[in-house]
Amino acid sequence: MPISKEEVRHIAHLARLGLTSGEIEHFQGQLEGILAYIDKLKSLNVEGIEPTAHALDIKDVLRPDVRRPCLEIDKVLRIAPQREGAFYKVPRVIE
Amino acid sequence: MSTARYEPVIGLEVHVQLKTQTKVFCGCANDFGAPENTQTCPVCLGLPGSLPVLNAEALRSAAKVGLALGCRVRSFTKFDRKNYFYPDLPKNFQISQYDLPLAEHGRLAVEGGGVSREVRIKRVHLEEDAGKLLHPEAGGSSLVDFNRSGSPLLEIVSEPDIFSPEEAYVYLTGLKLLLQYVGVSDCDMEKGTLRCDANVSMRPAGTTGLGIKTELKNMNSFKAVRAALEFEITRQTGALEAGERLVQETRLWDEEKQATRSMRSKEEAHDYRYFPEPDLPPFTFSDADLEVLRRELPELPLARVRRFCSTYGLAPKEAAVLIASKDMADFFEEGAHLFQEVKKVAHWLMGPVLAQMNARGVSLDQLGLSPASLVELIRLVEDGVISQLAGKDVLGAMLDSGKGPAQIVKEKDLAQMSAEGALGAIVDEVLEKNEKTAADYRQGKESALMFLVGQVMRSTQGKANPKVAQELLRKRLTS
Amino acid sequence: MSLNTLTASVLRERLHAKKATPEALRADLKKRFTAVEEKVRAFARPPDFKAPADRAEGPLRDIPVVIKDNICSLGEAVECCSKILQGFVAPYDATVVTKLKEAGAFVQGKANMDEFAFGSSCETSCLYPTRNPWDLQRVPGGSSGGSAACVAADEAVMALGSDTGGSIRQPASFCGVVGMKPTYGRVSRYGLIAFASSLDQIGPLTKDVRDNALLLSAIAGPDERDATSADRTVPDYAKILGRDVKGLRVGLPREYLIKGMDMEVRAALDEAIALLKGHGVTFFDVSLPHTEYAVATYYIVATAEASSNLARFDGVQYGLRRPDPSNKEDGALVAMYKKTRGEGFGAEAKRRIILGTYVLSSGYYEAYYGRALKVRTLIRRDFDKVFAGCDLIVTPTSPTPAFRLGEKMEDPLAMYLSDIYTISANLAGLPALSVPCGMTKSGLPVGMQILARPFDEEGIYRLAHFYEQKTPWHTLKPKL
């Protein structure tokens, strides 16, 4: 299954991965090989087969609506790359 | 009959924050207004290694809403990951529901403001809320508070069955009322526990297709939703009539400017890459489960209006005012059980009690009035112990002091003079002082009687029972 | 005899009888670390060898356990051997760590691993590759290479690893130790930094089967914080040990006895089968017809889930953050995301994220992920059919013994294919264990894999223990 550089760039953008043009080319080649291999699934007939999203057949796992202690604010903000008072600080989000 | 060339088609997407004790996938408190970033844990922060576990109460609440909206609640439902990057989304995916939502195909009867229709509900599903972003004026940064991250949200999507901004407004008030009745949310747009996005498109009048859709966001009140829709309809109509091509876009409502504007970020259609949430096994509802939930539903607003009309003989408008708040409707019914003349209970509630609530800026349950004490007050008035006017004052005093009506009447010596003896002397006095008016009455001037009644009231500082005074005067004057 | 060379069960006897002290054990482990760690590089960060604050009364009292660098331990750095998590300190204990403490054990330190568990050789760690103690020019296997190596080198008594496609079993076989991947849901994943949520399990790596059973009993069990954990009581796995194996029916899947298999691996397996036959085990030729689709299915499901699980590493809350003012096209926030993730992730991580994002992307879901989930059902059904007539399945753990460092790094597909024997157990959620079953002429360990029905870890331990006790492999030590 051939995959273009443009597609790799698009996927990298979806995944917010900054790739150099060298990386894009490198991955493009490797990805084509891997995709060609996984394409073998196409030869299987999966008509009428239910998907398995969970290995264990369990259902209805719930917890009661009962409060638990929260984390102390300093425990988490201490390792924040940037903080401002009680907030996490990030580059400006443009709406 | 409208002569417009184009007609609007509107769909509404409402997000309701459930008022459960804890968040949807973790045990953090689900309170409004906590200090920033103090209501979090590894799960709702999406820290590495954390896992979600569904809040049983959130699931029940969601199913109840589905049932209240007449939806088919699925016997099998699951969660899915909605993948996108944003700083208020700790995991950069939201656990939501995609192809097997909790409930589908319901309807909301929408009545009021000249509107009487049914709007179909496309789907109701459960998901987690994101945190809050702040954009301080100065500087190139934004700030994130994750307190709200992980709060349980119910997303209610209507079909494009709404055809005017006014209908949208009525739909929203009706939906809010229903949700308050079911008891799952405060539905307070100011606190953000109810949010609304609108989709609007225009089509040639009388056709059935759908035009190019605009998504409207950032409306903070039902009025703003209505205003934004009005603006959009005008804008789109103008563009179409000028032969312009409309684009599918998202526009933000600007409350100050009372206008919408296009979102500046580049319009790439989001590829959310939905897939089943591997950390949450699926959920099932049996018929028995749903029956239990159905029985827990209170009588819903429209059914209650109809019953108030048929059982208590109220006019539809009166019933509508009473049921507009579940507390008031409940209060009325309790009162109606204690006092036969139910209409009087209704009028007192809709009149003096409501006026007190507005004046004091409190809700009915904060007022400190019980149905029994209101009925006691009403009896005092109906029995003639105090006048209607005095009754209103007594109400105020009851709320101020917390004392019962009888006690206040006694303390303030408000009991009307009804005894013929005491009143009779005053009546004689008034007649003496107002010979001319008395003569007018004997000549046939009816209004003179009322003047004399007024004089009796004045000289007793309002304590006289006006009916009794009127009778005494008439007797004396005609004898 | 240095205490660090003993198994946990022997150490427990000696500690209990006061013939050894916890301090002496820690001292011996520290001595061994100083002597060989420079060569083996099993640890992600040097352990501190301090006495724990207090230890509960429990079956593993005073036993130090090394945990893989993707398992959270309160107050300790946990980085998945990735640049993007540098400086991340866990603010909570993984459930398995809580359980270790309840059993009286304590965390000795963090083992090196392939970055985010992406790998089969421990070479993608952002730190350094771990070496195989049996041959320092070779890989220990991965991704729990550090966990396997430290046990094999006697730098640790026992260790925990994680297994998504073979990451406990394959390094166990390369390093000559016992590694168990429990049934999916047997052990809580709360506190395990996720790779592929529907495939991951934490499991023990130990010097012998008894230790493995002890450690699994300590860490297994339902967890209210993990909705995918099974609501089943945990048996005392050690109780099954010592039982006879006569009459056990074992399937040998013909699809696993492929031509590409190394001759010595084949020979070792054949000898093991012969030994067991001699003790009354019956072997059957069985078929798992969808085996050839397992690797493809795995690399769709696992990378899709991984691409989503790794989206959270974005420089906002913790770890690496790299602003990028030079990126004018994207705006400051997206530029920061891209540069942080571009620099913070290694090549294999990026490759898997791209592949995973691709197979979930618009227009491709049904063709790839949707389809792979259905093939997964077919793979599971293959096993159900075989287990209708067999108690256990035996295969080689890996088609080859440990390969050389750098040998497979250029060809990712070749690396993926080396997981062929282990992957299906994860897809089907079955328990599977690797036990040493021989040595090659050049002195490299070979592992035999035993699979069972869901929650039949006891069946596996029964056969593995019996075999182990009739063979010398568990007594051998590498010359370091």
Side-chain angles (χ1 to χ4, degrees), chain C residues 218-240:
Chain C
I219 61 170
D223 183 10
E224 56 176 8
R225 292 185 192 270
D226 177 355
T228 61
S229 68
D231 187 15
R232 293 170 79 112
T233 50
V234 182
D236 180 358
Y237 290 115
K239 277 218 169 79
I240 198 88

Side-chain angles (χ1 to χ4, degrees), chain A residues 13-16 54 58-63 65-68 70-71 73 76 86-90 92-93 95, chain B residues 21-23 26-27 31 36-37 40 53-56 86 136 140-144 277-278 280-284:
Chain A
H13 175 70
L14 280 181
R16 300 297 187 266
H54 295 96
I58 52 179
K59 297 189 173 68
D60 302 316
V61 180
L62 295 163
R63 63 173 178 84
D65 190 20
V66 169
R67 294 190 176 187
R68 277 209 168 110
C70 292
L71 277 177
I73 184 176
V76 278
F87 292 92
Y88 292 86
K89 192 158 142 178
V90 296
R92 184 63 165 228
V93 177
E95 299 252 275
Chain B
Q21 283 295 309
T22 61
K23 295 185 177 182
C26 68
D31 295 335
E36 295 83 20
N37 285 310
T40 62
V53 184
L54 183 60
N55 179 339
Y86 213 60
S141 307
S142 293
L143 303 175
V144 199
E277 172 55 76
L280 292 172
F283 299 89
T284 60

Side-chain angles (χ1 to χ4, degrees), chain C residues 56-72:
Chain C
E57 282 296 330
L60 289 176
R61 188 157 206 249
D62 291 316
I63 303 292
V65 179
V66 172
I67 64 177
K68 191 172 176 181
D69 196 30
N70 59 1
I71 298 174
C72 289

Side-chain angles (χ1 to χ4, degrees), chain B residues 348 356 388-398 408 412 414:
Chain B
W348 270 87
Q356 286 288 345
Q388 176 100 355
L389 198 58
K392 287 187 190 171
D393 291 337
V394 170
L395 178 63
M398 279 162 71
I408 289 170
K412 296 201 174 191
L414 292 172

Side-chain angles (χ1 to χ4, degrees), chain A residues 7 13 15-16 18 23 30-31 37 39-41 44 49-50 52 55-56 58 61 68 80-82 89, chain C residues 184 224 227 292 315-318 321 337-338 341-342 350-351 354 364 368 371 373-374 377 380 417:
Chain A
E7 277 187 280
H13 175 70
R16 300 297 187 266
E23 279 177 310
Q30 290 180 332
L31 240 63
Y37 177 75
D39 265 353
K40 64 159 47 210
L41 289 192
L44 269 176
I49 307 291
E50 283 301 304
T52 298
L56 213 55
I58 52 179
V61 180
R68 277 209 168 110
Q82 268 192 293
K89 192 158 142 178
Chain C
Y184 184 84
E224 56 176 8
E292 64 173 294
V316 169
Q317 288 187 54
Y318 45 78
R321 180 194 284 204
Y337 283 155
K338 288 186 174 178
R341 291 162 63 78
K350 284 190 244 194
R351 194 161 25 242
I354 292 171
Y364 291 115
Y368 290 109
R371 179 168 277 265
L373 290 187
K374 295 178 182 175
T377 304
R380 173 63 184 258
L417 285 168

Side-chain angles (χ1 to χ4, degrees), chain B residues 157-177:
Chain B
V157 183
S158 81
E159 295 283 9
D161 278 359
I162 298 168
F163 300 110
S164 77
E166 186 56 37
E167 278 184 20
Y169 185 88
V170 177
Y171 170 89
L172 290 170
T173 47
L175 182 60
K176 171 174 172 167
L177 187 62

